[in-house]
Amino acid sequence: MKKILVTGGAGFIGNHLCRRLLQEGNKVICLDNFFTGLKRHIEDLLSNPDFTLIEHDIVEPISLECNQIYNLACPASPPHYQFDPVKTMKTSVIGIMNILDLAKKNRATILQASTSEVYGNPLEHPQNEKYWGNVNPIGIRSCYDEGKRAAETLMTDYHRQYGVDIRIVRIFNTYGPNMDPKDGRVVSNCIIQALNSENITIYGDGSQTRSFCYVDDLVEGLIRMMNNQNEFTGPVNLGNPSERTVLELAREIKELTGSKSEFVFLPLPSDDPVKRKPDISLAQKELNWTPSTDITDGLKKTIEYFKSLKN
Ligand code: NAD
Ligand code: UDP
């Protein structure tokens, strides 16, 4: 039985991952400081003898025993990571060093949840892992983008210098049930606004693109990457290449909810990437992974989740 640490385990992706790892017969330690994570995401797991919750901030060192570590701890939506940018940097840089030291001590495999944001406002399309990115080092998104880039550097240096067994995944926009309604991301905002018959907020003219991956597909990719036996350390893109504009996404959500909401167009935040689409051929080759959830099906499940919160 493996003992697996999931930092950020009470967050959106983290709670899905904890559930899946428990289903597969592992012992799971969920570590979280509850900055954006929610107790209700993991409340039902607390009675499971294979599940342990540790309230802790990864900016502080920690000592515990484990065989594998998924490092997901970091606020992920722009309003949350921009709320305290210095803290976001500390979590990304000091936090990953603490967790890498823990991996080194335990000889554990560590997977870092990196992001498509390492490509910044990409000048290559779609983005593959060889692209070094186009990132503003001093903008409002930099605390997150540069923090995650530095974390990738630390991961590879701990691997080269100390032989730590690492895996780096670059996650593209992910959505699904258990997103925090207050998260501020486009999928959650549009669904909540549509269900409440409020104006649907489109930043800019809505022509910017994103590629949205359903959370179950993503979790499958994380687990395949962690357990691959090919000494494949990544970085590897995990995302759904089906690209659409923000306005197309909002229109689809409006249609699926049968909402009478109107679209309102608000200023585009600075450095908002113009387009984003993963090239996933590396994940297909190395992990035999392809996302299988069609966006309409995924959105329907997510809409049902947000409806259930209203009841
Ligand atoms: P989330 O905000 O829902 O979850 C992050 C979790 O980390 C929360 O539970 C939060 O309380 C916890 N956390 C934050 N700072 C911490 C700290 N210093 N110490 C301990 N816990 C801390 O975000 P998510 O969408 O679940 O994202 C999980 C990971 O995946 C993040 O690292 C994020 O950068 C990455 N990612 C997510 C997406 C996406 O679309 N959701 C895309 C790319 C990368
Ligand atoms: N966005 C939007 N309306 C919203 C929230 C976001 O138009 O209510 C836009 C945002 O400007 C960006 C895209 O949707 O262009 C995706 O935003 P999100 O915060 O979900 O993810 P990220 O920008 O990190 O990819």
Side-chain angles (χ1 to χ4, degrees):
M1 197 182 223
K2 282 197 210 89
K3 210 169 181 186
I4 305 180
L5 172 65
V6 180
T7 76
F12 161 52
I13 297 173
N15 85 88
H16 285 273
L17 178 63
C18 287
R19 278 165 210 285
R20 174 75 193 272
L21 294 172
L22 286 168
Q23 276 163 17
E24 291 181 354
N26 301 292
K27 280 196 178 296
V28 173
I29 306 164
C30 166
L31 181 153
D32 209 293
N33 70 349
F34 291 99
F35 174 52
T36 52
L38 299 173
K39 285 253 159 71
R40 76 168 134 79
H41 282 158
I42 46 152
E43 219 148 41
D44 61 310
L45 301 178
L46 294 174
S47 58
N48 185 330
D50 292 330
F51 181 80
T52 310
L53 172 66
I54 300 179
E55 203 160 337
H56 181 81
D57 192 315
I58 62 162
V59 170
E60 303 302 327
I62 186 157
S63 182
L64 53 80
E65 279 180 18
C66 58
N67 315 108
Q68 291 186 339
I69 303 173
Y70 291 84
N71 186 49
L72 271 55
C74 186
S77 82
H80 283 145
Y81 69 65
Q82 288 163 13
F83 172 75
D84 185 348
V86 174
K87 179 64 196 263
T88 301
M89 244 321 179
K90 281 187 183 166
T91 295
S92 298
V93 179
I94 301 171
I96 188 68
M97 287 175 85
N98 286 328
I99 301 302
L100 276 161
D101 284 334
L102 184 68
K104 182 170 163 244
K105 209 167 159 188
N106 279 280
R107 295 177 188 278
T109 308
I110 173 169
L111 178 147
Q112 164 67 356
S114 191
T115 169
S116 54
E117 290 286 328
V118 300
Y119 301 122
N121 189 15
L123 304 177
E124 284 185 15
H125 195 76
Q127 294 79 53
N128 75 43
E129 293 83 352
K130 291 201 179 84
Y131 179 50
W132 287 355
N134 176 38
V135 177
N136 177 358
I138 56 168
I140 57 170
R141 295 175 87 98
S142 311
C143 60
Y144 184 73
D145 301 10
E146 297 288 24
K148 290 284 189 180
R149 286 170 69 95
E152 287 198 10
T153 307
L154 284 161
M155 288 281 288
T156 40
D157 282 337
Y158 268 71
H159 177 63
R160 275 189 289 255
Q161 201 170 333
Y162 304 123
V164 172
D165 190 17
I166 61 154
R167 309 278 186 269
I168 300 173
V169 298
R170 292 181 178 156
I171 302 171
F172 284 63
N173 297 62
T174 302
Y175 71 98
N178 289 1
M179 291 183 95
D180 178 358
K182 296 198 189 72
D183 208 35
R185 277 182 262 203
V186 67
V187 173
S188 46
N189 275 6
C190 290
I191 294 178
I192 291 162
Q193 290 158 347
L195 291 176
N196 292 338
S197 305
E198 293 164 358
N199 287 335
I200 296 177
T201 52
I202 307 290
Y203 302 161
D205 62 6
S207 63
Q208 68 274 33
T209 70
R210 295 291 187 274
S211 307
F212 296 95
C213 184
Y214 190 65
V215 65
D216 289 355
D217 289 334
L218 193 262
V219 165
E220 175 67 33
L222 295 179
I223 291 174
R224 284 190 191 208
M225 181 59 177
M226 173 64 96
N227 295 301
N228 89 76
Q229 301 294 320
N230 312 331
E231 296 186 19
F232 174 55
T233 56
V236 65
N237 290 339
L238 292 181
N240 190 324
S242 117
E243 180 188 13
R244 63 203 63 225
T245 67
V246 163
L247 193 54
E248 282 165 352
L249 173 83
R251 286 204 180 107
E252 184 160 5
I253 289 173
K254 184 173 156 156
E255 200 179 303
L256 289 172
T257 50
S259 174
K260 300 263 183 294
S261 293
E262 307 274 341
F263 298 121
V264 287
F265 293 86
L266 302 178
L268 187 68
S270 62
D271 293 341
D272 201 286
V274 175
K275 42 188 179 170
R276 186 185 285 159
K277 171 181 173 167
D279 174 343
I280 59 163
S281 41
L282 190 61
Q284 286 169 324
K285 176 172 160 263
E286 294 287 346
L287 309 175
N288 193 21
W289 176 85
T290 306
S292 61
T293 310
D294 166 74
I295 183 135
T296 307
D297 294 337
L299 284 176
K300 281 183 185 162
K301 288 184 193 165
T302 313
I303 290 166
E304 284 314 306
Y305 168 72
F306 281 111
K307 273 189 190 163
S308 76
L309 288 184
K310 286 178 63 146
N311 299 328

